[in-house]
Structure formats: C-alpha cells, structure tokens
C-alpha cells in the first residue's frame, strides 16, 4: 500500500510537473505567435512607408522633369526671340483732288485764326518792349 501511495504521489507530482511544462510550452508558443504577428505588422508598416517614399520620389521626379522641360522650352523660345531693328522708308504719293488744297493750304477759318495769332504775338512783343523776351502768347 505504501508503494501504491508513493506511486500515486509520484504520478500526481509527475502529472503536475508535466502540466507546468505544458503550460510553459503553451505560453512560449503563444508569445512566439504574438511576436510573429508584431513582426509581420511592422514589416507591413515598413512596406507602406517604403511605398509612400517611392510615390513621393516619383512625384518629385515628375515635377523635376516638368520643370526641366519648361526651362528647356523657355531657353529655346529665348533663342528664337531676338530684337531686330529695321528702318522702313515708304513714299506715298497722294494727289488731292479738292480744288481748295491746290492753291491754298488754309481755308478761311484757318487763315483767320492764323492772322489773329500773328496779331496777338506782335501785340505782345510791342508790349514787352521788343526786348527779345517772349510774351505770354508765345509761352
């Protein structure tokens, strides 16, 4: 009986130790599983970061290409544009058919205004004493 009791206690002890071992193994497996999931999530985050950086680099490259193309087109347009001065002389012969302009340059109203201006200028010179200083009509 004693040996059965000892055997039972030993079996119980061994079962308890096996349970502890199994619990530790399960805990270690669970911890490894969580660490694997964390590593996979970090890898996915890193992959997304790399994809974002590559997209930014592609956008920057596209902007740089567009700026380079604009600069090249501006340089080509600058080469095409140049200032050139030319003197253009053109003689236009025009015969005026109106009889008033054949013998006179001024009509009656224009002649009256010219005579009034001349009289006003001489009157101003007389008032100024003919000193050679311009009068108010000449200013």
């Amino acid at each position: 009986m004693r040996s059965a009791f000892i055997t039972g206690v030993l079996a119980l002890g061994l079962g308890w130790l096996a349970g502890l071992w199994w619990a530790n193994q399960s805990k270690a497996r669970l911890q490894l599983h969580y660490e694997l999931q964390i590593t996979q999530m970090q890898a996915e985050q890193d992959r997304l970061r790399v994809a974002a950086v590559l997209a930014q680099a592609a956008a920057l490259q596209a902007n740089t290409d567009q700026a380079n193309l604009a600069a090249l087109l501006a340089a080509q347009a600058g080469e095409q544009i140049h200032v050139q001065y030319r003197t253009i002389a053109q003689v236009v012969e025009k015969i005026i058919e109106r009889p008033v302009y054949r013998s006179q340059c001024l009509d009656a109203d224009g002649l009256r205004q010219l005579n009034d201006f001349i009289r006003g200028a001489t009157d101003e010179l007389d008032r100024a004493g003919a000193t050679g200083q311009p009068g108010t009509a000449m200013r």
Side-chain angles (χ1 to χ4, degrees), residues 73-132:
L73 291 175
Q76 287 175 352
E79 290 174 0
Q80 292 174 356
I81 297 173
H82 61 279
V83 178
Q84 184 176 10
Y85 295 100
R86 279 193 246 168
T87 305
I88 300 173
Q90 186 175 5
V91 177
V92 177
E93 267 189 55
K94 190 170 187 181
I95 300 173
I96 300 174
E97 296 291 327
R98 295 187 186 153
V100 99
Y101 295 117
R102 285 189 184 171
S103 60
Q104 304 171 353
C105 4
L106 297 173
D107 59 355
D109 289 333
L111 189 57
R112 188 175 0 93
Q113 287 178 354
L114 182 61
N115 287 333
D116 289 342
F117 176 76
I118 292 171
R119 267 188 245 114
T122 25
D123 291 343
E124 288 290 325
L125 283 174
D126 290 341
R127 275 187 245 134
T131 59

Side-chain angles (χ1 to χ4, degrees), residues 15-29:
W16 183 70
L17 286 176
L20 284 178
W21 178 80
W22 183 255
N24 283 338
Q25 290 299 317
S26 296
K27 184 179 174 183
R29 274 193 302 252

Side-chain angles (χ1 to χ4, degrees), residues 48-62:
L48 291 174
R49 280 190 204 116
V50 167
V53 167
L54 289 175
Q56 287 176 350
L60 181 62
Q61 184 63 39

Side-chain angles (χ1 to χ4, degrees), residues 52-69:
V53 167
L54 289 175
Q56 287 176 350
L60 181 62
Q61 184 63 39
N63 288 342
T64 304
D65 290 346
Q66 188 177 7
N68 287 341
L69 180 62

